[in-house]
Coordinates of all heavy atoms in Angstrom, one line a residue:
M1 N 135.0 108.0 105.0 CA 135.2 109.4 105.5 C 133.8 109.9 106.0 O 132.8 109.7 105.4 CB 135.7 110.3 104.4 CG 136.1 111.6 104.8 SD 137.0 112.4 103.5 CE 137.3 113.9 104.3
A2 N 133.8 110.6 107.1 CA 132.6 111.1 107.6 C 132.0 112.3 106.8 O 132.8 113.0 106.1 CB 132.8 111.6 109.1
V3 N 130.7 112.4 106.8 CA 130.1 113.4 106.0 C 129.5 114.4 107.0 O 128.9 114.0 108.0 CB 129.0 112.9 105.1 CG1 128.2 113.9 104.4 CG2 129.5 111.8 104.2
P4 N 129.6 115.7 106.8 CA 129.0 116.7 107.8 C 127.5 116.5 107.8 O 126.9 116.2 106.8 CB 129.4 118.0 107.2 CG 130.6 117.8 106.3 CD 130.5 116.4 105.8
K5 N 127.0 116.8 109.0 CA 125.5 116.6 109.2 C 124.7 117.4 108.3 O 123.7 116.8 107.8 CB 125.2 117.0 110.7 CG 123.8 116.6 111.1 CD 123.4 117.2 112.4 CE 124.1 116.4 113.5 NZ 123.7 116.7 114.8
K6 N 125.0 118.6 108.0 CA 124.1 119.4 107.1 C 124.2 119.0 105.6 O 123.4 119.4 104.8 CB 124.5 120.9 107.2 CG 124.3 121.4 108.6 CD 122.8 121.5 108.9 CE 122.6 122.1 110.3 NZ 121.2 122.2 110.6
R7 N 125.2 118.2 105.3 CA 125.4 117.8 103.9 C 124.4 116.6 103.5 O 124.3 116.3 102.3 CB 126.8 117.4 103.6 CG 127.8 118.5 103.8 CD 127.7 119.6 102.8 NE 128.1 119.1 101.5 CZ 128.3 119.9 100.5 NH1 128.0 121.2 100.5 NH2 128.7 119.4 99.3
V8 N 123.9 116.0 104.5 CA 123.0 114.9 104.2 C 121.5 115.4 104.2 O 121.1 116.0 105.2 CB 123.1 113.8 105.3 CG1 122.1 112.7 105.0 CG2 124.5 113.2 105.3
S9 N 120.8 115.3 103.1 CA 119.5 115.9 102.9 C 118.5 115.2 103.9 O 118.7 114.0 104.3 CB 119.0 115.8 101.5 OG 118.7 114.4 101.2
V10 N 117.4 115.8 104.2 CA 116.4 115.3 105.0 C 115.8 114.0 104.4 O 115.5 113.0 105.1 CB 115.3 116.3 105.3 CG1 114.2 115.7 106.1 CG2 115.9 117.5 106.0
S11 N 115.6 114.0 103.1 CA 115.1 112.9 102.4 C 116.0 111.7 102.5 O 115.5 110.6 102.8 CB 114.8 113.2 101.0 OG 114.4 112.1 100.2
R12 N 117.3 111.9 102.3 CA 118.2 110.8 102.4 C 118.3 110.3 103.8 O 118.4 109.0 104.0 CB 119.6 111.2 101.8 CG 120.6 110.1 101.7 CD 121.9 110.6 101.1 NE 121.6 110.9 99.7 CZ 121.7 110.0 98.7 NH1 122.0 108.7 98.9 NH2 121.5 110.4 97.4
R13 N 118.3 111.1 104.7 CA 118.4 110.7 106.1 C 117.1 109.9 106.5 O 117.2 108.9 107.2 CB 118.5 111.9 107.1 CG 118.7 111.6 108.5 CD 118.6 112.8 109.4 NE 117.2 113.3 109.3 CZ 116.8 114.6 109.5 NH1 117.8 115.5 109.7 NH2 115.6 114.9 109.4
G14 N 116.0 110.4 106.0 CA 114.7 109.6 106.3 C 114.7 108.3 105.7 O 114.2 107.3 106.3
M15 N 115.2 108.1 104.4 CA 115.3 106.8 103.8 C 116.2 105.9 104.5 O 116.0 104.7 104.6 CB 115.7 107.0 102.3 CG 114.6 107.6 101.4 SD 115.0 107.5 99.7 CE 116.1 108.9 99.6
R16 N 117.3 106.4 105.0 CA 118.2 105.6 105.8 C 117.6 105.1 107.1 O 117.9 104.0 107.5 CB 119.5 106.4 106.1 CG 120.6 105.6 106.7 CD 121.9 106.3 107.0 NE 121.7 107.5 107.9 CZ 121.9 108.7 107.6 NH1 122.3 109.1 106.4 NH2 121.7 109.7 108.5
N17 N 116.8 105.9 107.7 CA 116.3 105.6 109.0 C 114.9 105.0 108.9 O 114.2 104.8 109.9 CB 116.2 106.8 109.9 CG 117.6 107.3 110.2 OD1 118.5 106.6 110.3 ND2 117.7 108.6 110.4
A18 N 114.4 104.6 107.7 CA 113.0 104.2 107.5 C 112.7 102.9 108.3 O 111.6 102.7 108.7 CB 112.7 104.0 106.0
H19 N 113.7 102.0 108.4 CA 113.5 100.8 109.1 C 113.4 100.9 110.6 O 113.1 99.9 111.3 CB 114.6 99.8 108.7 CG 116.0 100.1 109.3 ND1 116.7 101.2 108.8 CD2 116.6 99.7 110.4 CE1 117.8 101.3 109.5 NE2 117.8 100.4 110.5
R20 N 113.7 102.1 111.1 CA 113.7 102.3 112.6 C 112.3 102.7 113.1 O 112.2 103.1 114.3 CB 114.7 103.4 112.9 CG 116.1 103.0 112.6 CD 117.0 104.1 113.0 NE 118.4 103.8 112.6 CZ 119.4 104.7 112.7 NH1 119.2 105.8 113.3 NH2 120.6 104.4 112.2
K21 N 111.3 102.6 112.3 CA 110.0 103.0 112.7 C 109.5 102.2 113.9 O 109.9 101.0 114.1 CB 109.0 102.9 111.6 CG 108.6 101.5 111.2 CD 107.6 101.5 110.2 CE 107.3 100.0 109.9 NZ 106.1 99.9 109.1
T22 N 108.6 102.8 114.7 CA 108.1 102.1 115.9 C 106.9 101.3 115.4 O 106.1 101.8 114.6 CB 107.7 103.0 117.0 OG1 106.8 104.0 116.5 CG2 109.0 103.7 117.5
V23 N 106.7 100.1 116.0 CA 105.5 99.3 115.7 C 104.4 99.8 116.6 O 104.5 99.8 117.8 CB 105.8 97.8 115.9 CG1 104.6 97.0 115.6 CG2 107.0 97.4 115.0
K24 N 103.2 100.1 115.9 CA 102.1 100.6 116.7 C 101.2 99.4 117.1 O 101.1 98.4 116.3 CB 101.3 101.6 115.9 CG 102.0 102.9 115.6 CD 101.1 103.8 114.8 CE 101.9 105.1 114.5 NZ 101.1 106.0 113.7
P25 N 100.6 99.4 118.2 CA 99.7 98.3 118.6 C 98.5 98.3 117.8 O 98.0 99.3 117.3 CB 99.4 98.5 120.1 CG 99.6 100.0 120.2 CD 100.7 100.4 119.3
V26 N 97.9 97.1 117.6 CA 96.7 96.9 116.8 C 95.5 97.5 117.6 O 95.4 97.3 118.8 CB 96.4 95.4 116.5 CG1 95.1 95.2 115.8 CG2 97.6 94.8 115.7
N27 N 94.7 98.4 116.9 CA 93.6 99.0 117.6 C 92.4 98.2 117.4 O 91.7 98.1 116.4 CB 93.4 100.4 116.9 CG 92.4 101.2 117.7 OD1 92.2 100.9 118.9 ND2 91.8 102.2 117.1
L28 N 92.0 97.5 118.5 CA 90.8 96.7 118.6 C 89.7 97.4 119.2 O 89.8 98.2 120.2 CB 91.1 95.4 119.3 CG 92.2 94.5 118.7 CD1 92.4 93.3 119.7 CD2 91.8 94.0 117.4
V29 N 88.5 97.2 118.7 CA 87.2 97.8 119.3 C 86.2 96.7 119.5 O 86.3 95.6 118.9 CB 86.6 98.9 118.3 CG1 87.6 100.0 118.2 CG2 86.3 98.3 117.0
E30 N 85.3 96.9 120.4 CA 84.2 96.0 120.7 C 83.2 96.0 119.6 O 82.8 97.1 119.1 CB 83.6 96.2 122.0 CG 84.4 95.8 123.2 CD 83.6 95.8 124.5 OE1 82.3 95.7 124.4 OE2 84.2 96.0 125.5
C31 N 82.7 94.9 119.2 CA 81.6 94.8 118.2 C 80.3 95.2 118.9 O 80.0 94.9 120.0 CB 81.5 93.3 117.7 SG 80.1 93.1 116.6
N32 N 79.5 96.0 118.2 CA 78.3 96.5 118.8 C 77.2 95.4 119.0 O 76.4 95.5 119.9 CB 77.7 97.6 117.9 CG 78.6 98.9 117.9 OD1 79.3 99.1 118.9 ND2 78.5 99.7 116.9
S33 N 77.3 94.4 118.2 CA 76.2 93.4 118.3 C 76.6 92.3 119.2 O 75.7 91.8 120.0 CB 75.9 92.9 116.9 OG 77.0 92.3 116.3
C34 N 77.8 91.7 119.1 CA 78.1 90.6 119.9 C 79.1 90.9 121.1 O 79.3 90.1 122.0 CB 78.7 89.5 119.0 SG 80.3 89.8 118.3
G35 N 79.8 92.0 121.0 CA 80.7 92.3 122.1 C 82.1 91.8 122.0 O 83.0 92.1 122.8
S36 N 82.4 91.0 120.9 CA 83.8 90.5 120.8 C 84.7 91.6 120.1 O 84.2 92.5 119.6 CB 83.8 89.2 119.9 OG 83.4 89.5 118.6
Y37 N 86.0 91.4 120.3 CA 86.9 92.4 119.7 C 87.1 92.2 118.3 O 87.2 91.0 117.8 CB 88.2 92.4 120.5 CG 88.0 93.0 121.9 CD1 87.9 92.2 123.0 CD2 88.0 94.3 122.1 CE1 87.8 92.7 124.3 CE2 87.8 94.9 123.3 CZ 87.7 94.1 124.4 OH 87.6 94.6 125.7
K38 N 87.2 93.3 117.5 CA 87.5 93.2 116.1 C 88.3 94.4 115.6 O 88.5 95.3 116.4 CB 86.2 93.2 115.3 CG 85.4 94.4 115.4 CD 84.1 94.4 114.6 CE 83.4 95.7 114.5 NZ 84.1 96.7 113.6
L39 N 88.8 94.4 114.4 CA 89.5 95.5 113.9 C 88.5 96.6 113.5 O 87.4 96.3 113.1 CB 90.4 95.1 112.7 CG 91.6 94.2 112.9 CD1 92.2 93.8 111.6 CD2 92.6 94.9 113.7
Q40 N 88.9 97.9 113.6 CA 88.1 98.9 113.2 C 87.8 98.8 111.7 O 88.7 98.5 110.9 CB 88.7 100.3 113.5 CG 88.6 100.7 114.9 CD 89.2 102.1 115.1 OE1 90.0 102.6 114.3 NE2 88.7 102.8 116.1
H41 N 86.6 99.2 111.3 CA 86.2 99.2 109.9 C 86.3 97.9 109.2 O 86.6 97.8 108.0 CB 86.9 100.3 109.1 CG 86.8 101.6 109.7 ND1 85.7 102.4 109.8 CD2 87.8 102.4 110.4 CE1 85.9 103.5 110.4 NE2 87.2 103.6 110.8
H42 N 86.2 96.8 109.9 CA 86.2 95.4 109.3 C 85.0 94.7 109.8 O 84.4 95.0 110.8 CB 87.5 94.7 109.8 CG 88.7 95.1 109.1 ND1 89.3 96.3 109.4 CD2 89.4 94.5 108.2 CE1 90.4 96.4 108.6 NE2 90.5 95.3 107.9
V43 N 84.6 93.6 109.1 CA 83.5 92.8 109.4 C 83.9 92.0 110.7 O 85.0 91.5 110.8 CB 83.1 91.8 108.3 CG1 82.0 90.9 108.7 CG2 82.7 92.6 107.0
C44 N 83.0 91.9 111.6 CA 83.3 91.1 112.8 C 83.4 89.6 112.4 O 82.5 89.0 111.8 CB 82.1 91.3 113.8 SG 82.4 90.4 115.3
P45 N 84.5 89.0 112.8 CA 84.7 87.6 112.4 C 83.8 86.6 113.2 O 83.5 85.5 112.7 CB 86.1 87.3 112.8 CG 86.5 88.3 113.7 CD 85.7 89.5 113.5
S46 N 83.3 87.0 114.3 CA 82.4 86.1 115.1 C 80.9 86.1 114.7 O 80.3 85.1 114.7 CB 82.6 86.3 116.6 OG 82.2 87.7 116.9
C47 N 80.4 87.4 114.4 CA 79.0 87.4 114.1 C 78.7 87.8 112.7 O 77.6 87.7 112.2 CB 78.3 88.4 115.0 SG 78.8 90.1 114.9
G48 N 79.7 88.4 111.9 CA 79.6 88.7 110.5 C 78.8 90.0 110.2 O 78.3 90.2 109.1
I49 N 78.7 90.9 111.2 CA 78.0 92.1 111.0 C 79.0 93.3 110.9 O 80.0 93.3 111.5 CB 77.1 92.4 112.2 CG1 76.0 91.3 112.3 CG2 76.5 93.7 112.2 CD1 75.0 91.4 113.4
Y50 N 78.7 94.1 109.9 CA 79.4 95.4 109.7 C 78.5 96.5 109.5 O 77.6 96.4 108.6 CB 80.4 95.2 108.5 CG 81.1 96.5 108.2 CD1 82.2 96.9 109.0 CD2 80.8 97.3 107.2 CE1 82.9 98.1 108.8 CE2 81.5 98.5 106.9 CZ 82.5 98.9 107.7 OH 83.2 100.0 107.5
N51 N 78.6 97.6 110.3 CA 77.8 98.8 110.2 C 76.3 98.5 110.3 O 75.5 99.0 109.6 CB 78.1 99.5 108.8 CG 77.7 100.9 108.9 OD1 77.5 101.5 109.9 ND2 77.7 101.6 107.7
G52 N 76.0 97.5 111.2 CA 74.6 97.2 111.4 C 73.9 96.3 110.4 O 72.8 96.0 110.5
R53 N 74.7 95.8 109.4 CA 74.2 94.9 108.4 C 74.9 93.5 108.5 O 76.1 93.5 108.8 CB 74.3 95.5 107.0 CG 73.6 96.8 106.8 CD 73.8 97.3 105.4 NE 75.2 97.4 105.1 CZ 75.7 97.8 104.0 NH1 74.9 98.2 103.0 NH2 77.0 97.9 103.7
Q54 N 74.1 92.5 108.2 CA 74.7 91.1 108.1 C 75.4 91.0 106.8 O 74.8 91.0 105.8 CB 73.6 90.1 108.3 CG 74.1 88.7 108.4 CD 74.7 88.4 109.8 OE1 74.3 89.0 110.8 NE2 75.7 87.6 109.8
I55 N 76.7 90.8 106.9 CA 77.5 90.7 105.7 C 77.9 89.3 105.4 O 77.8 88.8 104.3 CB 78.8 91.6 105.8 CG1 78.5 93.0 106.1 CG2 79.7 91.5 104.6 CD1 77.7 93.7 105.1
I56 N 78.3 88.5 106.4 CA 78.7 87.1 106.3 C 77.7 86.3 107.0 O 77.4 86.5 108.1 CB 80.1 86.9 106.9 CG1 81.1 87.8 106.1 CG2 80.5 85.4 106.7 CD1 82.5 87.7 106.8
A57 N 77.2 85.2 106.3 CA 76.2 84.3 106.9 C 76.9 83.5 108.0 O 78.1 83.1 107.8 CB 75.6 83.4 105.9
Q58 N 76.2 83.3 109.1 CA 76.8 82.6 110.2 C 76.6 81.1 110.0 O 75.6 80.7 109.4 CB 76.1 83.0 111.5 CG 76.5 84.3 112.1 CD 78.0 84.2 112.5 OE1 78.8 84.8 111.8 NE2 78.3 83.6 113.5
K59 N 77.5 80.3 110.5 CA 77.4 78.9 110.5 C 76.4 78.4 111.6 O 76.6 78.9 112.7 CB 78.7 78.2 110.6 CG 79.6 78.4 109.4 CD 80.9 77.7 109.6 CE 81.9 78.0 108.5 NZ 83.2 77.4 108.7
V60 N 75.5 77.6 111.3 CA 74.5 77.1 112.3 C 75.1 75.9 113.0 O 75.4 74.9 112.3 CB 73.1 76.9 111.7 CG1 72.2 76.4 112.8 CG2 72.6 78.1 111.1
K61 N 75.2 75.9 114.3 CA 75.7 74.7 115.0 C 74.5 73.8 115.3 O 73.4 74.2 115.7 CB 76.3 75.1 116.4 CG 77.6 75.9 116.2 CD 78.2 76.2 117.6 CE 79.5 77.0 117.5 NZ 80.0 77.3 118.8
D62 N 74.7 72.5 115.1 CA 73.7 71.5 115.3 C 73.7 71.1 116.8 O 74.8 70.6 117.3 CB 73.9 70.2 114.5 CG 73.7 70.5 113.0 OD1 72.9 71.4 112.7 OD2 74.4 69.8 112.2
E63 N 72.7 71.4 117.5 CA 72.6 71.0 118.9 C 71.6 69.9 119.1 O 70.5 69.9 118.7 CB 72.1 72.3 119.7 CG 73.1 73.4 119.7 CD 72.8 74.5 120.6 OE1 72.1 74.3 121.6 OE2 73.2 75.7 120.4
D64 N 72.1 68.9 119.8 CA 71.2 67.7 120.0 C 70.6 67.7 121.3 O 71.1 68.1 122.3 CB 72.0 66.4 119.8 CG 72.5 66.3 118.3 OD1 71.7 66.7 117.4 OD2 73.5 65.7 118.1

């Protein structure tokens, strides 16, 4: 049986529609040191720098 619109509380309606949320795109920013794209407020995966400090040591490539 149908339920009148006003009889369903806002909370219950919101819980029922919670799966209908829109997916937001990932916000990528350029790294200040190397210029590659990274997530905001995360360590850059390519250079390992966060907030101007070296957090992750870089792997050194052997060049012959």
Side-chain angles (χ1 to χ4, degrees):
M1 184 170 183
V3 178
K5 187 185 289 187
K6 296 294 183 182
R7 299 292 289 190
V8 178
S9 69
V10 174
S11 175
R12 186 172 293 272
R13 184 190 66 209
M15 286 188 284
R16 183 178 64 238
N17 295 331
H19 70 282
R20 296 182 189 174
K21 68 175 184 168
T22 58
V23 177
K24 295 181 182 177
V26 176
N27 190 18
L28 297 176
V29 295
E30 283 190 29
C31 178
N32 292 335
S33 60
C34 67
S36 65
Y37 288 101
K38 67 179 189 74
L39 292 173
Q40 284 185 331
H41 307 291
H42 285 73
V43 176
C44 179
S46 60
C47 66
I49 294 178
Y50 177 73
N51 201 15
R53 296 182 307 183
Q54 187 72 32
I55 305 297
I56 300 173
Q58 283 297 104
K59 294 180 182 177
V60 178
K61 291 183 180 179
D62 293 330
E63 296 187 25
D64 293 329

